[in-house]
Amino acid sequence: MAKSRPLYPSWQRLLAELGENIKLARLRRRLSTEQVAERAAISRPTLSQIEKGEPSVAMGNYLKVLAVLGLEKDLAQVGRDDKLGRKLQDAELPVRERAPKHSSDT
């Protein structure tokens, strides 16, 4: 089995920030770790890993927790305003050639 590569430090910080935001959302809703874990059908240790931003936790488990907190639609915002992607896409749009003109045989 291949070893997974470690994440870049900046990516790890992003995951840690996501985990902290999930934890803050849970606390704002006054939900315990037991309540969220039970509602998300995950274990408390898995929830703890999510709140720490652990990269080894399956994305589906992150989504389950977000759904329990009512934040699952936030994932739909990822890439919505992708300015760089749109510029790259526009730069490589093929230029349509004009159709040949039809000559009339009269």
Side-chain angles (χ1 to χ4, degrees), residues 55-68:
S56 62
V57 178
M59 185 71 177
N61 288 332
Y62 275 89
L63 181 56
K64 288 177 184 180
V65 172
L66 290 171
V68 167

Side-chain angles (χ1 to χ4, degrees), residues 35-86:
Q35 291 171 314
V36 173
E38 182 179 322
R39 293 175 188 178
I42 61 174
S43 67
R44 283 182 58 213
T46 298
L47 178 59
S48 176
Q49 288 180 325
I50 288 170
E51 290 184 350
K52 290 177 184 172
E54 289 294 326
S56 62
V57 178
M59 185 71 177
N61 288 332
Y62 275 89
L63 181 56
K64 288 177 184 180
V65 172
L66 290 171
V68 167
L69 299 173
L71 299 172
E72 71 278 8
K73 292 189 177 175
D74 285 3
L75 282 181
Q77 301 302 315
V78 175
R80 176 166 279 178
D81 190 25
D82 182 13
K83 293 177 185 177
L84 174 61
R86 289 177 193 231

Side-chain angles (χ1 to χ4, degrees), residues 18-32:
L18 173 61
E20 181 65 21
N21 289 343
I22 289 171
K23 181 177 182 177
L24 289 172
R26 175 181 62 79
L27 293 173
R28 285 185 201 113
R29 288 159 178 74
R30 299 184 188 277
L31 294 170
S32 69

